[in-house]
Amino acid sequence: DFEAVLAIEPGHADALRELASLDLARNQPAQARARLETVLKADPYDAEAHYRLALSLERLGETEQAAAERQEAARIRADQEALRVLQRRFNESPTDDLRCEIGRWLVEHGRPREGLRWAKTVLGRDPAHLQANILAAEAHEAMNEAGLANFYRLQSQARNPQGAGP
């Protein structure tokens, strides 16, 4: 039961999302809204939570905010499709440039640790790879690791003295 899951882990996104759906079915949009806002604080890139929040807001009469949430859900779904396209391209022809593109997408969408793993895969083979050093700097920056971000930023500048690094 979802309530039992929340008793153990209060911010469990799947449980909150499912309970919000039940709230909507029970015509309790304010309760659904509160649950979904909790989900979105933890993961602002959850398209389904944005969509369900839009439903809650519509029922609460907040049509402008509901429209904005629907747009956000659609934007996130389009972004996720772009990642799937990158992954298909990578599966067909794995290149370091595609590894960096996938890593950048992950960093830009709140998953810097995963993005960093992609960068480090490239750097393990080619420590001088410019885009991988830039990506590693951006990932560490996103994780508030300034020292490591500066290290990779300096690495990218050393590889590209013209200054195309971050």
Side-chain angles (χ1 to χ4, degrees), residues 1-23 26 28 31-32 35:
D1 137 331
F2 297 119
E3 295 290 350
V5 171
L6 292 178
I8 297 167
E9 187 181 337
H12 193 280
D14 292 333
L16 287 167
R17 205 179 307 102
E18 293 307 316
L19 285 170
S21 290
L22 292 172
D23 292 336
R26 295 177 184 136
Q28 297 173 329
Q31 177 78 12
R35 292 183 203 272

Side-chain angles (χ1 to χ4, degrees), residues 26-43:
R26 295 177 184 136
N27 198 27
Q28 297 173 329
Q31 177 78 12
R33 176 187 192 169
R35 292 183 203 272
L36 293 164
E37 287 174 344
T38 300
V39 171
L40 290 170
K41 282 179 189 166
D43 182 5

Side-chain angles (χ1 to χ4, degrees), residues 98-151:
L98 282 172
R99 281 182 180 88
C100 288
E101 281 187 63
I102 291 169
R104 175 153 288 105
W105 189 98
L106 292 165
V107 169
E108 290 173 353
H109 290 83
R111 295 161 52 189
R113 289 198 190 289
E114 291 175 64
L116 180 60
R117 280 196 298 271
W118 285 83
K120 287 191 172 186
T121 298
V122 174
L123 293 171
R125 280 192 304 282
D126 180 6
H129 194 280
L130 176 63
Q131 292 305 315
N133 276 291
I134 292 170
L135 175 58
E138 291 170 352
H140 283 294
E141 186 76 30
M143 294 184 289
N144 296 315
E145 297 171 343
L148 288 166
N150 287 335
F151 170 79

Side-chain angles (χ1 to χ4, degrees), residues 55-99:
L55 296 176
S56 300
L57 293 167
E58 283 173 354
R59 292 188 187 176
L60 292 168
E62 298 179 36
T63 55
E64 281 185 37
Q65 193 175 353
E69 291 297 332
R70 279 186 189 277
Q71 285 179 329
E72 185 65 5
R75 185 193 65 74
I76 292 168
R77 286 188 176 116
D79 280 353
Q80 290 169 341
E81 179 56 29
L83 176 62
R84 283 188 288 276
V85 167
L86 283 173
Q87 289 170 327
R88 279 192 295 271
R89 285 178 45 210
F90 178 79
N91 289 337
E92 293 167 5
S93 178
T95 67
D96 286 344
D97 288 343
L98 282 172
R99 281 182 180 88

